[in-house]
Amino acid sequence: MRLKLVPDETNWDFFKHRKITSGASFLMCIASVILVIVMGLNFGIDFKGGTTIRTESTGSVDVGAYRAALEPMDLGDVSITEVFDPSFGPDKNVAMIRIQAQDGYEAVTPEIITAAEAALQAVDPSITFPSVESVGPKVSGELIWSAILAVLGATGAILVYIWLRFEWQFAVGAVVALMHDVLITVGVFALFQIKFDLAVIAALLTILGYSINDTVVVFDRLRENLVKYKTMPLIEVMNLSVNETLSRTILTSGTTLIALIALLALGGDVIRGFTFAITFGIVIGTYSSVYVAKNVVLWLGVKRDWTKKDDTPGTQFSNIDA
């Protein structure tokens, strides 16, 4: 006996309420934009600027003890990570402590740095501070633009790939779904004021890759069925394609979510923003691959017979296997 999460054959109508799902997606995207504008994002040190203190000690790094020592100073966003390197000897334990820029200052003041170092030495008398580096708001602003360009660049590359692999209607549907996923994820971060840093940008790029993977699988089956069922209405062919790949979608998303939920619950504060972004992104990405990307393709229409020559840009590579 095998455990079946999805029956071998399903015939669910995914497009019965397409107007409702499309309207809900549109409203969520608008709400996300409004939340970002009105509430703003809770930027981390990467985007706000701050100071990084490198520590070295002969004793082991106790992140919890370090954090407890700095907590009474009310420094705001403090990130503490242990650094591992094969070249380190057994008596060389290194940590990086990042403290956000304080209000009214471009970086952490020397007085605060001195007080922080004294607090850490109270925990571990052998601790030393070989380097202290500060990142000002100008560099942080450049990081924000670099992050935006990274997301837009990845989306543009995906647009070109889908255009060459399928048709331009598929490419538009895929990109609309990707922007839908990113906008809503960022909106949730603004709503709950979750720390937004470079790790979250990495999560957003991961979401783009994961979401487009599921979308391409369904698109590929859809293209096969469009050739196979040339007289079947487009909406019925889409429903058939989604149903035929439903088992794969649920199993892939489900197994990934099991690992992510474990990381979200047990991973600690350092990676919580990253794991939350990916977890939420996979849920919304699975939704968008069916209810956003396919709705856009249905609205735009699509070529039904690839045996006929068509020199329209975006269809000349439709028969390429990748």
Coordinates of all heavy atoms in Angstrom, one line a residue, residues 103-188:
D103 N 20.3 56.6 16.4 CA 19.6 57.8 15.9 C 20.4 59.0 16.0 O 21.0 59.3 17.0 CB 18.3 57.9 16.7 CG 17.3 56.8 16.5 OD1 17.4 56.1 15.5 OD2 16.4 56.6 17.4
G104 N 20.4 59.7 14.8 CA 21.2 61.0 14.8 C 22.6 60.9 14.5 O 23.4 61.9 14.3
Y105 N 23.1 59.6 14.3 CA 24.5 59.4 14.0 C 24.6 58.5 12.7 O 23.8 57.6 12.5 CB 25.2 58.7 15.2 CG 25.3 59.6 16.4 CD1 24.3 59.4 17.4 CD2 26.3 60.5 16.6 CE1 24.3 60.2 18.5 CE2 26.3 61.3 17.8 CZ 25.3 61.1 18.7 OH 25.3 61.9 19.9
E106 N 25.7 58.7 12.0 CA 25.9 57.8 10.8 C 26.5 56.5 11.2 O 26.4 55.5 10.4 CB 26.9 58.5 9.8 CG 26.3 59.8 9.1 CD 27.2 60.3 8.0 OE1 28.2 59.7 7.8 OE2 26.8 61.2 7.4
A107 N 27.1 56.4 12.3 CA 27.6 55.1 12.8 C 27.6 55.1 14.3 O 27.2 56.1 15.0 CB 29.1 54.9 12.3
V108 N 28.0 54.0 14.9 CA 28.0 53.9 16.4 C 29.1 54.7 16.9 O 30.3 54.7 16.4 CB 28.2 52.4 16.8 CG1 28.2 52.3 18.3 CG2 27.1 51.5 16.2
T109 N 28.8 55.5 17.9 CA 29.8 56.4 18.5 C 30.9 55.7 19.2 O 30.7 54.5 19.7 CB 29.2 57.4 19.5 OG1 28.6 56.6 20.6 CG2 28.1 58.2 18.8
P110 N 32.1 56.3 19.3 CA 33.3 55.6 20.0 C 32.9 55.2 21.5 O 33.4 54.2 22.0 CB 34.4 56.6 20.0 CG 34.1 57.4 18.8 CD 32.6 57.5 18.7
E111 N 32.1 56.1 22.1 CA 31.7 55.8 23.5 C 30.9 54.5 23.6 O 31.1 53.7 24.5 CB 30.9 57.0 24.1 CG 31.7 58.3 24.3 CD 31.9 59.0 23.0 OE1 31.2 58.7 22.0 OE2 32.7 60.0 22.9
I112 N 30.0 54.3 22.7 CA 29.1 53.1 22.7 C 30.0 51.9 22.4 O 29.8 50.8 23.0 CB 28.0 53.3 21.7 CG1 27.0 54.4 22.2 CG2 27.3 51.9 21.5 CD1 25.8 54.6 21.2
I113 N 30.9 52.0 21.5 CA 31.8 50.9 21.1 C 32.6 50.5 22.3 O 32.8 49.3 22.7 CB 32.7 51.3 20.0 CG1 31.9 51.5 18.7 CG2 33.8 50.2 19.7 CD1 32.7 52.0 17.5
T114 N 33.2 51.5 23.1 CA 33.9 51.2 24.3 C 33.1 50.5 25.3 O 33.6 49.5 26.0 CB 34.5 52.5 24.8 OG1 35.3 53.1 23.8 CG2 35.4 52.3 26.1
A115 N 31.9 51.0 25.5 CA 31.0 50.4 26.5 C 30.6 49.0 26.1 O 30.5 48.1 26.9 CB 29.7 51.2 26.6
A116 N 30.4 48.7 24.8 CA 30.1 47.4 24.3 C 31.2 46.4 24.5 O 31.1 45.3 24.9 CB 29.7 47.4 22.8
E117 N 32.4 46.9 24.2 CA 33.6 46.1 24.4 C 33.8 45.7 25.9 O 34.2 44.6 26.3 CB 34.9 46.8 23.9 CG 34.9 46.9 22.4 CD 36.1 47.7 21.9 OE1 36.8 48.3 22.7 OE2 36.3 47.8 20.7
A118 N 33.6 46.7 26.8 CA 33.7 46.4 28.2 C 32.7 45.4 28.7 O 33.0 44.5 29.5 CB 33.5 47.7 29.0
A119 N 31.4 45.5 28.2 CA 30.4 44.5 28.5 C 30.8 43.1 28.1 O 30.5 42.1 28.8 CB 29.1 45.0 27.9
L120 N 31.4 43.0 26.9 CA 31.8 41.7 26.4 C 33.0 41.1 27.2 O 33.0 39.9 27.4 CB 32.1 41.8 24.9 CG 30.9 42.1 24.0 CD1 31.4 42.5 22.6 CD2 30.0 41.0 23.9
Q121 N 33.9 42.0 27.6 CA 35.0 41.5 28.4 C 34.6 41.1 29.7 O 35.3 40.2 30.3 CB 36.1 42.7 28.5 CG 36.8 42.9 27.2 CD 37.8 44.0 27.3 OE1 37.6 45.0 28.0 NE2 38.9 43.9 26.5
A122 N 33.5 41.6 30.2 CA 33.0 41.1 31.5 C 32.5 39.7 31.4 O 32.5 38.9 32.4 CB 31.8 42.0 32.0
V123 N 32.1 39.3 30.2 CA 31.6 37.9 29.9 C 32.8 37.0 29.7 O 32.9 35.9 30.2 CB 30.7 37.9 28.7 CG1 30.3 36.4 28.4 CG2 29.4 38.7 29.0
D124 N 33.8 37.5 28.9 CA 35.0 36.7 28.6 C 36.2 37.6 28.7 O 36.5 38.4 27.8 CB 34.8 36.1 27.1 CG 36.0 35.2 26.8 OD1 36.9 35.1 27.6 OD2 35.9 34.7 25.6
P125 N 36.9 37.5 29.8 CA 38.1 38.4 29.9 C 39.2 38.2 28.9 O 40.0 39.1 28.6 CB 38.7 38.0 31.3 CG 37.5 37.3 32.0 CD 36.7 36.7 30.9
S126 N 39.2 37.1 28.2 CA 40.3 36.8 27.2 C 39.9 37.4 25.8 O 40.7 37.4 24.9 CB 40.5 35.3 27.0 OG 39.3 34.7 26.4
I127 N 38.7 38.0 25.7 CA 38.3 38.5 24.4 C 39.1 39.8 24.0 O 39.4 40.6 24.8 CB 36.8 38.9 24.5 CG1 36.2 38.9 23.1 CG2 36.5 40.1 25.2 CD1 34.6 39.0 23.0
T128 N 39.4 39.8 22.7 CA 40.1 41.0 22.1 C 39.3 41.5 20.9 O 38.4 40.8 20.4 CB 41.5 40.7 21.7 OG1 41.4 39.6 20.7 CG2 42.3 40.2 22.9
F129 N 39.6 42.7 20.5 CA 38.8 43.3 19.4 C 39.8 43.8 18.3 O 40.2 45.0 18.3 CB 38.0 44.5 19.9 CG 37.1 44.1 21.1 CD1 37.6 44.4 22.4 CD2 35.9 43.5 21.0 CE1 36.9 44.0 23.5 CE2 35.2 43.1 22.0 CZ 35.6 43.4 23.3
P130 N 40.2 42.9 17.4 CA 41.2 43.3 16.4 C 40.8 44.3 15.4 O 41.6 44.9 14.7 CB 41.5 41.9 15.7 CG 40.3 41.1 16.0 CD 39.8 41.5 17.3
S131 N 39.4 44.4 15.1 CA 39.0 45.4 14.1 C 37.6 45.9 14.4 O 36.8 45.2 14.9 CB 39.1 44.8 12.7 OG 38.1 43.7 12.6
V132 N 37.4 47.2 14.0 CA 36.1 47.8 14.1 C 35.8 48.5 12.8 O 36.6 49.4 12.5 CB 36.0 48.8 15.3 CG1 34.6 49.4 15.4 CG2 36.2 48.0 16.7
E133 N 34.7 48.2 12.1 CA 34.4 48.8 10.8 C 33.0 49.4 10.9 O 32.1 48.8 11.5 CB 34.6 47.8 9.7 CG 36.0 47.2 9.6 CD 36.0 46.2 8.5 OE1 35.0 45.8 8.0 OE2 37.1 45.7 8.2
S134 N 32.9 50.6 10.2 CA 31.5 51.2 10.2 C 31.1 51.3 8.7 O 31.9 51.5 7.8 CB 31.6 52.6 10.8 OG 31.9 52.5 12.2
V135 N 29.7 51.2 8.5 CA 29.1 51.3 7.2 C 28.1 52.5 7.4 O 27.2 52.5 8.2 CB 28.4 50.1 6.8 CG1 27.7 50.3 5.5 CG2 29.4 48.9 6.7
G136 N 28.3 53.5 6.6 CA 27.5 54.7 6.6 C 26.2 54.6 5.8 O 26.1 53.6 5.0
P137 N 25.3 55.5 5.9 CA 24.0 55.4 5.1 C 24.2 55.5 3.6 O 23.4 55.0 2.9 CB 23.3 56.7 5.6 CG 24.3 57.6 6.2 CD 25.4 56.7 6.7
K138 N 25.3 56.1 3.1 CA 25.5 56.2 1.7 C 25.7 54.8 1.1 O 25.1 54.4 0.1 CB 26.7 57.0 1.3 CG 27.0 57.2 -0.2 CD 28.2 58.1 -0.4 CE 28.4 58.2 -1.9 NZ 29.5 59.1 -2.3
V139 N 26.6 54.0 1.8 CA 26.9 52.6 1.3 C 25.6 51.8 1.4 O 25.3 51.0 0.6 CB 28.0 52.0 2.1 CG1 28.2 50.5 1.7 CG2 29.3 52.8 1.9
S140 N 24.8 52.0 2.5 CA 23.6 51.3 2.7 C 22.6 51.6 1.6 O 21.9 50.7 1.1 CB 23.0 51.6 4.1 OG 23.9 51.3 5.1
G141 N 22.5 52.8 1.2 CA 21.6 53.2 0.1 C 22.0 52.5 -1.2 O 21.2 52.1 -2.0
E142 N 23.3 52.4 -1.4 CA 23.8 51.6 -2.6 C 23.4 50.2 -2.6 O 23.1 49.6 -3.6 CB 25.3 51.8 -2.7 CG 25.8 53.2 -3.1 CD 27.3 53.4 -3.1 OE1 27.9 52.4 -2.7 OE2 27.8 54.5 -3.4
L143 N 23.4 49.6 -1.4 CA 23.0 48.2 -1.2 C 21.5 48.0 -1.5 O 21.2 47.0 -2.1 CB 23.3 47.7 0.2 CG 24.8 47.5 0.6 CD1 24.9 47.1 2.1 CD2 25.4 46.4 -0.3
I144 N 20.7 49.0 -1.1 CA 19.3 48.9 -1.4 C 19.1 48.9 -2.9 O 18.3 48.0 -3.5 CB 18.5 50.1 -0.8 CG1 18.6 50.0 0.7 CG2 17.1 50.1 -1.3 CD1 17.9 51.2 1.4
W145 N 19.7 49.8 -3.7 CA 19.6 49.8 -5.1 C 20.1 48.5 -5.8 O 19.6 48.0 -6.7 CB 20.3 51.0 -5.7 CG 19.4 52.3 -5.6 CD1 19.7 53.4 -4.8 CD2 18.2 52.5 -6.2 NE1 18.7 54.3 -4.9 CE2 17.7 53.8 -5.8 CE3 17.4 51.8 -7.2 CZ2 16.6 54.4 -6.3 CZ3 16.3 52.4 -7.6 CH2 15.8 53.6 -7.2
S146 N 21.2 48.0 -5.2 CA 21.8 46.8 -5.7 C 20.8 45.6 -5.5 O 20.7 44.8 -6.4 CB 23.1 46.5 -5.1 OG 24.1 47.5 -5.3
A147 N 20.2 45.6 -4.4 CA 19.2 44.6 -4.1 C 18.0 44.6 -5.1 O 17.5 43.6 -5.6 CB 18.7 44.7 -2.7
I148 N 17.5 45.9 -5.3 CA 16.4 46.1 -6.3 C 16.8 45.6 -7.7 O 16.1 44.9 -8.4 CB 16.0 47.5 -6.3 CG1 15.3 47.9 -4.9 CG2 15.0 47.8 -7.4 CD1 15.0 49.4 -4.8
L149 N 18.0 46.0 -8.1 CA 18.5 45.6 -9.4 C 18.7 44.1 -9.5 O 18.4 43.5 -10.6 CB 19.8 46.3 -9.7 CG 19.7 47.8 -9.9 CD1 21.1 48.4 -10.1 CD2 18.9 48.1 -11.1
A150 N 19.1 43.4 -8.4 CA 19.2 42.0 -8.4 C 17.9 41.3 -8.7 O 17.8 40.4 -9.5 CB 19.8 41.5 -7.1
V151 N 16.9 41.8 -8.0 CA 15.5 41.2 -8.2 C 15.0 41.4 -9.6 O 14.5 40.5 -10.3 CB 14.5 41.7 -7.1 CG1 13.1 41.2 -7.4 CG2 15.0 41.3 -5.7
L152 N 15.2 42.7 -10.1 CA 14.7 43.0 -11.4 C 15.5 42.3 -12.5 O 14.9 41.8 -13.5 CB 14.8 44.5 -11.6 CG 13.9 45.4 -10.8 CD1 14.1 46.9 -11.1 CD2 12.4 45.1 -11.1
G153 N 16.8 42.2 -12.3 CA 17.6 41.4 -13.2 C 17.2 40.0 -13.3 O 17.1 39.4 -14.4
A154 N 17.0 39.3 -12.2 CA 16.6 37.9 -12.2 C 15.2 37.8 -12.9 O 15.0 36.8 -13.7 CB 16.5 37.4 -10.8
T155 N 14.3 38.7 -12.6 CA 13.0 38.6 -13.3 C 13.1 38.8 -14.8 O 12.4 38.1 -15.5 CB 12.1 39.7 -12.7 OG1 12.0 39.6 -11.3 CG2 10.7 39.6 -13.2
G156 N 14.0 39.8 -15.2 CA 14.2 40.0 -16.6 C 14.7 38.8 -17.3 O 14.3 38.4 -18.4
A157 N 15.7 38.1 -16.7 CA 16.3 36.9 -17.3 C 15.3 35.8 -17.4 O 15.2 35.1 -18.4 CB 17.5 36.4 -16.4
I158 N 14.4 35.7 -16.4 CA 13.3 34.6 -16.5 C 12.4 35.0 -17.6 O 11.9 34.1 -18.3 CB 12.6 34.6 -15.1 CG1 13.6 34.0 -14.0 CG2 11.3 33.8 -15.2 CD1 13.0 34.1 -12.6
L159 N 12.1 36.3 -17.8 CA 11.2 36.7 -18.8 C 11.7 36.2 -20.2 O 11.0 35.7 -21.0 CB 11.0 38.2 -18.8 CG 10.3 38.9 -20.0 CD1 8.8 38.4 -20.0 CD2 10.4 40.4 -19.9
V160 N 13.0 36.5 -20.4 CA 13.6 36.1 -21.7 C 13.6 34.6 -21.9 O 13.3 34.1 -23.0 CB 15.1 36.7 -21.8 CG1 15.8 36.1 -23.0 CG2 15.1 38.2 -21.8
Y161 N 13.9 33.9 -20.8 CA 14.0 32.4 -20.9 C 12.6 31.8 -21.3 O 12.4 31.0 -22.2 CB 14.4 31.8 -19.6 CG 14.2 30.3 -19.6 CD1 15.0 29.4 -20.3 CD2 13.2 29.7 -18.8 CE1 14.8 28.0 -20.3 CE2 13.0 28.4 -18.8 CZ 13.8 27.5 -19.5 OH 13.5 26.2 -19.5
I162 N 11.5 32.3 -20.6 CA 10.2 31.8 -20.9 C 9.7 32.2 -22.3 O 9.1 31.4 -23.0 CB 9.2 32.3 -19.8 CG1 9.6 31.8 -18.4 CG2 7.8 31.8 -20.1 CD1 9.6 30.3 -18.2
W163 N 10.1 33.4 -22.7 CA 9.7 33.8 -24.0 C 10.3 32.9 -25.1 O 9.7 32.5 -26.0 CB 10.2 35.3 -24.2 CG 9.7 36.0 -25.4 CD1 9.2 35.5 -26.6 CD2 9.4 37.4 -25.5 NE1 8.7 36.4 -27.4 CE2 8.9 37.6 -26.8 CE3 9.7 38.5 -24.7 CZ2 8.5 38.9 -27.2 CZ3 9.4 39.8 -25.1 CH2 8.8 40.0 -26.4
L164 N 11.6 32.6 -24.9 CA 12.2 31.7 -25.9 C 11.8 30.3 -25.8 O 11.6 29.6 -26.8 CB 13.8 31.7 -25.7 CG 14.5 33.1 -26.0 CD1 15.9 33.0 -25.7 CD2 14.2 33.6 -27.4
R165 N 11.5 29.8 -24.6 CA 11.1 28.4 -24.4 C 9.7 28.2 -24.8 O 9.3 27.1 -25.3 CB 11.3 28.1 -22.9 CG 10.9 26.7 -22.5 CD 12.0 25.7 -23.0 NE 11.7 24.4 -22.5 CZ 10.9 23.5 -23.1 NH1 10.2 23.8 -24.1 NH2 10.7 22.3 -22.6
F166 N 8.8 29.1 -24.6 CA 7.4 28.9 -24.9 C 6.9 30.0 -25.8 O 7.3 30.1 -27.0 CB 6.5 28.9 -23.6 CG 6.9 27.9 -22.6 CD1 7.8 28.1 -21.6 CD2 6.4 26.6 -22.8 CE1 8.1 27.1 -20.7 CE2 6.7 25.5 -21.9 CZ 7.6 25.8 -20.9
E167 N 6.0 30.9 -25.4 CA 5.6 32.1 -26.1 C 5.5 33.3 -25.3 O 5.7 33.2 -24.0 CB 4.1 31.8 -26.7 CG 4.1 30.8 -27.8 CD 2.7 30.7 -28.4 OE1 2.4 31.7 -29.1 OE2 1.9 29.8 -28.1
W168 N 5.3 34.5 -25.9 CA 5.4 35.7 -25.1 C 4.3 35.7 -24.1 O 4.4 36.3 -23.0 CB 5.4 36.9 -26.0 CG 4.1 37.1 -26.7 CD1 3.7 36.7 -28.0 CD2 2.9 37.9 -26.2 NE1 2.4 37.1 -28.3 CE2 1.9 37.8 -27.2 CE3 2.7 38.6 -25.0 CZ2 0.7 38.5 -27.1 CZ3 1.4 39.2 -24.9 CH2 0.5 39.1 -25.9
Q169 N 3.1 35.1 -24.4 CA 2.0 35.1 -23.4 C 2.4 34.4 -22.1 O 2.1 34.8 -21.0 CB 0.7 34.5 -24.0 CG 0.2 35.2 -25.2 CD 0.6 34.7 -26.5 OE1 1.8 34.2 -26.6 NE2 -0.2 34.8 -27.5
F170 N 3.1 33.3 -22.3 CA 3.6 32.5 -21.1 C 4.6 33.3 -20.3 O 4.6 33.3 -19.1 CB 4.3 31.2 -21.6 CG 3.3 30.2 -22.2 CD1 2.9 30.2 -23.5 CD2 2.9 29.1 -21.4 CE1 2.0 29.3 -24.0 CE2 2.0 28.2 -21.8 CZ 1.6 28.2 -23.2
A171 N 5.5 34.1 -21.0 CA 6.5 34.9 -20.4 C 5.8 36.0 -19.5 O 6.2 36.2 -18.4 CB 7.4 35.5 -21.4
V172 N 4.8 36.6 -20.1 CA 4.1 37.7 -19.4 C 3.4 37.1 -18.1 O 3.5 37.6 -17.0 CB 3.1 38.4 -20.3 CG1 2.2 39.3 -19.5 CG2 3.8 39.1 -21.4
G173 N 2.7 35.9 -18.3 CA 2.1 35.3 -17.2 C 3.0 34.9 -16.1 O 2.8 35.1 -14.9
A174 N 4.2 34.4 -16.5 CA 5.2 34.0 -15.5 C 5.8 35.2 -14.7 O 5.9 35.2 -13.5 CB 6.3 33.2 -16.2
V175 N 6.1 36.3 -15.4 CA 6.6 37.4 -14.8 C 5.6 38.1 -13.9 O 5.9 38.6 -12.8 CB 7.2 38.4 -15.8 CG1 7.5 39.8 -15.2 CG2 8.4 37.8 -16.5
V176 N 4.4 38.2 -14.3 CA 3.3 38.8 -13.5 C 3.2 38.0 -12.2 O 3.1 38.5 -11.1 CB 2.0 38.8 -14.2 CG1 0.8 39.2 -13.2 CG2 2.0 39.8 -15.3
A177 N 3.3 36.6 -12.3 CA 3.2 35.8 -11.1 C 4.4 36.0 -10.2 O 4.2 36.1 -8.9 CB 3.1 34.3 -11.5
L178 N 5.6 36.2 -10.7 CA 6.8 36.4 -9.9 C 6.7 37.8 -9.2 O 7.0 37.8 -8.0 CB 8.0 36.4 -10.8 CG 8.4 35.0 -11.4 CD1 9.6 35.1 -12.3 CD2 8.5 33.9 -10.4
M179 N 6.3 38.8 -9.9 CA 6.2 40.1 -9.2 C 5.1 40.1 -8.2 O 5.2 40.7 -7.1 CB 5.9 41.2 -10.3 CG 6.9 41.4 -11.3 SD 8.6 41.6 -10.6 CE 8.4 43.1 -9.7
H180 N 4.0 39.3 -8.4 CA 3.0 39.1 -7.4 C 3.5 38.5 -6.2 O 3.3 39.0 -5.0 CB 1.9 38.2 -8.1 CG 0.9 37.6 -7.1 ND1 1.2 36.4 -6.4 CD2 -0.3 38.0 -6.7 CE1 0.1 36.1 -5.7 NE2 -0.8 37.0 -5.8
D181 N 4.4 37.5 -6.3 CA 5.0 36.8 -5.1 C 5.9 37.7 -4.4 O 5.8 37.8 -3.1 CB 5.8 35.6 -5.6 CG 5.0 34.6 -6.3 OD1 3.7 34.6 -6.2 OD2 5.5 33.7 -7.0
V182 N 6.7 38.5 -5.1 CA 7.7 39.4 -4.4 C 6.9 40.5 -3.7 O 7.2 40.8 -2.5 CB 8.7 40.0 -5.4 CG1 9.5 41.1 -4.8 CG2 9.6 38.8 -5.9
L183 N 6.0 41.1 -4.4 CA 5.2 42.2 -3.8 C 4.5 41.8 -2.5 O 4.6 42.5 -1.5 CB 4.2 42.8 -4.8 CG 4.7 43.8 -5.8 CD1 3.6 44.2 -6.8 CD2 5.2 45.1 -5.1
I184 N 3.8 40.7 -2.6 CA 3.0 40.3 -1.4 C 4.0 39.9 -0.2 O 3.7 40.2 0.9 CB 2.1 39.1 -1.7 CG1 1.0 39.6 -2.7 CG2 1.4 38.5 -0.5 CD1 0.0 38.6 -3.2
T185 N 5.1 39.2 -0.5 CA 6.0 38.9 0.5 C 6.6 40.1 1.2 O 6.7 40.2 2.4 CB 7.2 38.0 -0.1 OG1 6.6 36.9 -0.7 CG2 8.2 37.6 1.0
V186 N 7.0 41.1 0.4 CA 7.5 42.4 0.9 C 6.4 43.1 1.7 O 6.7 43.7 2.8 CB 8.1 43.3 -0.2 CG1 8.5 44.6 0.3 CG2 9.3 42.6 -0.9
G187 N 5.2 43.0 1.2 CA 4.1 43.6 2.0 C 3.9 43.0 3.4 O 3.6 43.7 4.3
V188 N 4.1 41.7 3.5 CA 3.9 41.0 4.8 C 5.1 41.5 5.7 O 4.8 41.7 6.9 CB 4.0 39.5 4.6 CG1 4.1 38.8 5.9 CG2 2.7 39.0 3.8

